[in-house]
């Protein structure tokens, strides 16, 4: 009877260890299909203001407290940043990103990962960061050669509008 | 015999669980059944993770360049020790999640999350999140491919919330964007912040639990440690290749105890994860109110019988009794006061009250503290009725409880039963009375299994009172050979019946209780 009890204890601990061993390091998982490449689009872009800055008149300046007599005032709200990304002429993503902040006064942020098949691509990026609603202010085109397991980062910054691509090694 | 009340018997899932646990009781002994110590075992696994984590930190480099290499050095260049410690750190953390899940399920199945126990249930919910975040943050520190994917996926999850204007994920878009200070931050969170939060969380969780068991029996400590060590030696934990954010994450060996959320996020979306996580947590947290149990009346203090001894306050498993300054002018310093919001109506306080003696010549019989739906007067009336109708004699009286073995099923020609809310309600004088005054040949007490009392301490206090290790102790004059205790689970009725038959057979040779004295005749007051 004692041997049976000891065997029962051993079995219990074996079940515990087996469960942990089975699910502690597996089953394996692949976030992306094997052989895929990845395009990362990261944007941190300061778009134009919805209302342009305005020079204050002398009378308006005189009404302000002496320590706050600025020469121009600017609205805080900025235009949404619209952009399109195309691969070989096919639209991959099109979005309009609102500026961050309670008053929509910050940068427009966007970050997305797009798994693609490896190969050569012509990447076209169009971007609009002004209050007007039609057309784009910038269009860039570049060639991309992605191998399986590689990723490319397309960054849209705010020094004017800069586009960078970076191929992984 | 019974009190005539509707008894809260365990539902079928609880009975099924009890049957399964009985197998473990047979192997380990009831007092060291792992399922009776799941919470304490989870805390013990946290201790192992803490100690092994301190060792790992000594050799760990908290910087971008050195993190992965330092973990590799610990794993492969310290002979067996470093790898063993690392594996133990991982597996004990995994075991903690498994044990926590079992602990929660067990309490739910046994309906121990309702009523006044809502506090422990509710404060257990944040612990789930804390433990998961604790584990996930640990995976970042290895900074291998798995860590890079976990970091990216965690950042995506956090970026879904309107917390950061600048996406946290932009820190992980390439190898150049990762800041070396990341490891200072993660190191602080994993090594200092979360351990403190976890300890505070456990403290809150146990705040309303008197005499909590936070250390499992040494047998279980040794067994679990040995099993985790064997696992560590058979399947040592290793890292993936160093993190490379410029590469596409490949096949990753996932720790499903902590990281299951990320594959789920991959096939759904961060919003779905947050929705499922918050809805699931809120639903679990609301269970005590969604599935409430009918509350029994709480214990009441009868000041004329209360001497302010404090035994009830000492014995109450839920801290529901306070000793407060006397209010009735009697020459005692203190009196008991019941906090109705904490009382679970177990009646353990009645069993601890020295005035809970059926021998007292008072009708109706009152005592210092008792349950209005199960008074000492009811208790004595039941025993007297059995005696007056000639049902005692050679028979055994079996005291049972609402949550343990169903003693009514053991009623035979030789045994009577009386079901109490908890066997802890039974005052030692009640055992004496059943033998001396009621004329039962023997008394059996069948409560919940060792370390598994539904009301936490009923079985322990009862045994200690019988052994005269806890006041009020069972009088020496009570022949112990006429007293039998059985601590078991629902479903063990047949085993109890067999043991009762053996007990009854041995009573012929047992000493006869002293003849009843004049105290047996009540004069009334």
């Amino acid at each position: 009877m004692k041997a049976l009890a000891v065997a029962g204890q051993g079995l219990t601990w074996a079940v515990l260890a087996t469960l942990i061993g089975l699910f502690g390091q597996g089953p394996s998982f692949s976030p992306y299909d094997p052989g895929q490449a990845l395009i990362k689009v990261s944007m941190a872009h300061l778009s134009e203001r919805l209302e342009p800055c305005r020079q204050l008149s002398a009378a308006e300046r005189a009404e302000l407290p002496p320590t706050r007599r600025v020469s121009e005032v600017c609205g805080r709200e900025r235009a949404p940043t619209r952009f399109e990304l195309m691969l070989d002429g096919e639209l991959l993503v099109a979005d309009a990103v609102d500026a961050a902040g309670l008053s929509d006064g910050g940068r427009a942020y966007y970050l997305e990962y797009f798994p693609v098949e490896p190969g050569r691509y012509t990447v076209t990026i169009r971007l609009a960061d002004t209050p007007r609603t039609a057309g784009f202010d910038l269009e860039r085109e570049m060639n991309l050669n992605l191998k399986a397991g590689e990723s490319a980062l397309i960054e849209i910054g705010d020094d004017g509008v800069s586009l960078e691509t970076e191929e992984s090694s | 015999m019974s009190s005539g009340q509707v008894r809260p018997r365990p539902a079928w899932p609880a009975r099924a669980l009890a049957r399964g646990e009985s197998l473990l009781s047979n192997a380990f002994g009831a007092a060291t059944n792992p399922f009776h110590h799941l919470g304490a075992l989870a805390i013990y696994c946290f201790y192992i993770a803490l100690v092994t984590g301190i060792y790992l930190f000594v050799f760990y480099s908290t910087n971008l360049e050195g993190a992965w290499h330092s973990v590799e050095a610990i794993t492969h260049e310290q002979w067996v020790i470093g790898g063993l410690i690392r594996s133990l750190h991982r597996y004990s953390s995994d075991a903690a999640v498994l044990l926590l899940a079992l602990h929660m399920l067990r309490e739910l199945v046994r309906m121990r999350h309702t009523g006044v126990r809502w506090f422990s249930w509710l404060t257990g919910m944040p612990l789930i999140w804390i433990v998961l975040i604790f584990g996930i943050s640990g995976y970042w520190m290895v900074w291998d491919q798995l860590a890079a994917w976990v970091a990216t996926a965690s950042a995506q999850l956090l970026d879904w919330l309107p917390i950061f204007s600048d996406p946290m994920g932009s820190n992980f878009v390439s190898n150049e964007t990762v800041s070396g200070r990341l490891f200072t931050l993660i190191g602080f969170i994993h090594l200092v912040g979360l351990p403190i939060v976890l300890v505070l969380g456990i403290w809150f969780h146990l705040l309303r639990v008197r005499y909590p068991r936070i250390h499992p029996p040494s047998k279980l400590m040794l067994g679990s440690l040995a099993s985790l060590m064997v696992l560590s030696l058979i399947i040592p934990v290793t890292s993936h290749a160093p993190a490379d954010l410029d590469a596409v994450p490949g096949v990753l060996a996932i720790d499903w105890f902590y990281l299951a959320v990320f594959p789920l996020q991959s096939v759904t979306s961060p919003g779905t994860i947050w929705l499922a996580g918050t809805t699931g947590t809120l639903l679990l947290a609301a269970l005590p109110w969604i599935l409430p149990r009918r509350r029994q009346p709480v214990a009441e203090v009868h000041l004329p019988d209360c001497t302010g001894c404090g035994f009830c306050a000492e014995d109450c498993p839920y801290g529901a009794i306070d000793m407060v300054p006397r209010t009735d002018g009697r020459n005692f310093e203190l009196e008991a006061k019941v906090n109705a919001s904490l009382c679970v109506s177990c009646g353990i306080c009645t069993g601890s009250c020295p005035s809970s003696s059926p021998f007292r010549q008072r009708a109706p019989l009152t005592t210092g503290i008792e349950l209005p739906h199960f008074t000492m007067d009811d208790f004595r009336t039941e025993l007297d009725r059995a005696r007056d109708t000639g049902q005692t004699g050679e028979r055994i009286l079996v005291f049972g409880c609402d949550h343990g073995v169903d003693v009514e099923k053991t009623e035979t020609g030789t045994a009577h039963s009386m079901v109490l809310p908890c066997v802890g309600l039974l005052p030692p004088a009640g055992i004496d009375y059943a033998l001396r005054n009621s004329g039962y040949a023997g008394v059996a007490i069948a409560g919940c299994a060792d370390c598994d009392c539904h009301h936490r301490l009923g079985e322990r206090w009862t045994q200690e009172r019988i052994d005269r290790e806890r006041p009020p102790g069972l009088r020496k004059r009570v022949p112990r050979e006429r007293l039998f205790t059985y601590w078991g689970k629902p479903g063990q009725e047949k085993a109890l019946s067999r043991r009762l038959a053996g007990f009854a057979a041995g009573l012929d040779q047992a000493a006869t209780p002293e003849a009843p004295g004049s105290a047996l005749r009540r004069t009334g007051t």
Side-chain angles (χ1 to χ4, degrees):
Chain A
M1 195 65 189
K2 192 177 177 185
L4 206 61
V6 171
Q9 291 177 31
L11 183 67
T12 305
W13 296 127
V15 168
L16 176 76
T18 306
L19 279 175
I20 294 168
L22 276 178
F23 297 106
Q25 287 203 89
S28 296
F29 175 78
S30 299
Y32 301 99
D33 290 340
Q36 277 191 316
L38 201 58
I39 292 178
K40 303 172 187 174
V41 181
S42 173
M43 178 172 76
H45 177 72
L46 199 61
S47 62
E48 286 190 13
R49 297 180 193 279
L50 279 181
E51 299 291 335
C53 293
R54 180 175 65 85
Q55 293 291 324
L56 290 181
S57 66
E60 285 173 321
R61 290 190 65 203
E63 284 177 12
L64 294 172
T67 54
R68 300 181 65 187
R69 281 176 188 160
V70 292
S71 57
E72 66 173 14
V73 288
C74 303
R76 297 186 67 179
E77 200 175 351
R78 291 181 181 273
T81 302
R82 289 185 296 115
F83 74 96
E84 287 181 1
L85 176 69
M86 287 183 286
L87 290 185
D88 293 338
E90 280 190 30
L91 190 66
L92 184 67
V93 59
D95 210 341
V97 185
D98 287 335
L102 292 174
S103 306
D104 289 343
R107 288 181 173 79
Y109 293 104
Y110 180 87
L111 177 64
E112 201 60 69
Y113 291 35
F114 299 98
V116 294
E117 292 303 316
R120 290 178 183 278
Y121 293 101
T122 301
V123 179
T124 309
I125 295 171
R126 292 176 180 154
L127 191 129
D129 63 348
T130 56
R132 66 190 176 82
T133 52
F136 290 94
D137 305 301
L138 180 138
E139 181 170 327
R140 283 280 178 90
E141 198 171 276
M142 71 201 80
N143 292 319
L144 197 60
N145 185 11
L146 277 177
K147 294 174 186 159
E150 283 186 345
S151 71
L153 171 63
I154 299 174
E155 278 193 307
I156 304 171
D158 60 10
D159 291 339
V161 179
S162 67
L163 302 177
E164 293 172 17
T165 60
E166 180 184 317
E167 283 190 34
S168 62
S169 53
Chain B
M1 288 191 288
S2 74
S3 65
Q5 293 286 318
V6 178
R7 292 168 44 208
R9 287 297 300 166
W12 70 264
R15 291 199 303 273
L17 177 70
R19 283 195 194 94
E21 289 181 358
S22 297
L23 297 173
L24 286 176
S25 287
N26 293 339
F28 285 86
T32 50
N33 184 326
F35 271 66
H36 299 176
H37 302 274
L38 288 171
L41 275 169
I43 292 176
Y44 172 63
C45 287
F46 170 61
Y47 291 155
I48 299 176
L50 190 69
V51 172
T52 51
I54 290 169
Y55 176 89
L56 295 175
F57 185 62
V58 170
F59 301 99
Y60 180 73
S61 298
T62 48
N63 58 68
L64 189 59
E65 296 76 25
W68 184 84
H69 291 288
S70 65
V71 175
E72 280 297 282
I74 294 168
T75 310
H76 300 295
E77 294 172 16
Q78 294 189 5
W79 189 59
V80 180
I81 300 298
L84 180 67
I85 296 280
R86 183 190 175 190
S87 301
L88 261 182
H89 187 68
R90 162 84 75 89
Y91 291 143
S92 60
S93 311
D94 289 340
V97 173
L98 184 63
L99 292 164
L100 271 182
L102 287 173
H103 175 54
M104 194 176 75
L105 271 175
R106 186 171 190 265
E107 297 304 297
L108 186 63
V109 165
R110 303 179 78 205
M111 297 294 281
R112 300 218 298 184
H113 62 293
T114 58
V116 302
R117 281 166 151 157
W118 68 266
F119 183 84
S120 297
W121 178 261
L122 196 65
T123 50
M125 294 300 119
L127 286 178
I128 302 171
W129 285 76
I130 294 167
V131 167
L132 288 179
I133 295 169
F134 206 164
I136 291 168
S137 66
Y139 275 95
W140 286 44
M141 298 186 75
V142 182
W143 206 234
D144 59 356
Q145 285 185 357
L146 177 63
W149 177 67
V150 168
T152 309
S154 315
Q156 284 175 337
L157 202 54
L158 288 174
D159 284 339
W160 189 86
L161 299 172
I163 299 174
F164 310 106
S165 55
D166 186 357
M168 191 183 165
S170 59
N171 292 302
F172 305 108
V173 289
S174 75
N175 291 327
E176 285 70 37
T177 54
V178 184
S179 165
R181 297 188 63 190
L182 169 76
F183 288 87
T184 310
L185 174 68
I186 289 296
F188 177 79
I189 290 173
H190 188 73
L191 301 164
V192 182
L194 285 170
I196 292 173
V197 173
L198 183 61
V199 169
L200 278 175
I202 294 171
W203 178 69
F204 268 111
H205 184 55
L206 300 175
L207 202 57
R208 286 196 179 175
V209 179
R210 297 279 309 280
Y211 311 103
R213 285 199 307 263
I214 54 174
H215 303 296
S218 52
K219 184 180 183 179
L220 296 183
M221 288 198 217
L222 286 172
S224 53
L225 181 62
S227 68
L228 294 177
M229 285 179 83
V230 169
L231 177 63
S232 300
L233 292 170
I234 295 173
I235 313 173
V237 171
T238 52
S239 304
H240 292 72
D244 180 7
L245 290 164
D246 293 333
V248 181
V251 179
L252 303 171
I254 298 278
D255 179 347
W256 293 88
F257 293 103
Y258 284 99
L259 306 178
V261 67
F262 297 119
L264 198 60
Q265 181 183 326
S266 280
V267 295
T268 56
S269 67
T272 310
I273 297 299
W274 283 116
L275 183 69
T278 48
T279 308
T281 306
L282 290 174
L283 269 176
L284 277 175
L287 278 180
W289 296 276
I290 293 174
L291 302 169
R293 299 191 81 167
R294 197 168 58 84
R295 270 196 85 174
Q296 303 277 6
V298 301
E300 291 175 354
V301 176
H302 190 235
L303 278 184
D305 293 301
C306 175
T307 61
C309 67
F311 291 168
C312 53
E314 190 69 24
D315 282 4
C316 177
Y318 304 95
I321 301 167
D322 296 317
M323 299 309 296
V324 298
R326 202 78 196 184
T327 58
D328 61 353
R330 291 182 69 200
N331 192 24
F332 297 111
E333 192 183 346
L334 300 170
E335 67 183 38
K337 186 182 177 192
V338 176
N339 182 341
S341 66
L342 298 179
C343 178
V344 301
S345 315
C346 62
I348 288 176
C349 49
T350 306
S352 70
C353 183
S355 63
S356 296
S357 169
F359 290 110
R360 294 175 67 210
Q361 298 179 28
R362 178 175 291 192
L365 177 63
T366 54
T367 185
I369 185 165
E370 62 186 344
L371 300 176
H373 58 287
F374 199 102
T375 64
M376 283 310 295
D377 196 59
D378 296 335
F379 178 83
R380 186 170 69 183
T381 303
E382 290 279 355
L383 292 181
D384 288 351
R385 185 183 302 140
R387 178 198 63 205
D388 296 342
T389 53
Q391 295 179 35
T392 55
E394 299 302 310
R395 285 181 169 168
I396 300 165
L397 176 58
V398 187
F399 289 108
C401 73
D402 284 337
H403 304 277
V405 185
D406 191 350
V407 293
E408 288 181 337
K409 287 186 180 172
T410 65
E411 279 207 22
T412 60
T414 57
H416 266 163
S417 67
M418 183 187 285
V419 181
L420 311 171
C422 172
V423 291
L425 182 149
L426 179 64
I431 301 170
D432 195 4
Y433 190 86
L435 288 170
R436 280 169 53 82
N437 191 46
S438 303
Y440 280 105
V443 166
I445 302 171
C448 297
D450 280 343
C451 296
D452 192 36
C453 172
H454 185 83
H455 293 299
R456 299 191 52 248
L457 299 167
E459 127 273 338
R460 182 172 152 196
W461 290 168
T462 303
Q463 190 63 59
E464 289 184 8
R465 288 170 193 155
I466 290 170
D467 296 339
R468 298 177 61 80
E469 293 169 354
R470 187 172 199 85
L474 181 63
R475 296 184 73 168
K476 286 180 181 173
R477 70 182 182 191
V478 177
R480 287 338 193 237
E481 60 272 25
R482 292 193 176 273
L483 179 61
F484 168 73
T485 54
Y486 181 86
W487 311 120
K489 288 174 175 289
Q492 293 187 316
E493 286 78 16
K494 283 184 182 171
L496 173 61
S497 295
R498 280 197 301 273
R499 299 284 299 278
L500 282 176
F503 170 61
L507 284 176
D508 293 341
Q509 287 80 43
T512 308
E514 288 175 29
S518 57
L520 298 181
R521 294 288 157 225
R522 293 199 301 277
T523 55
T525 54

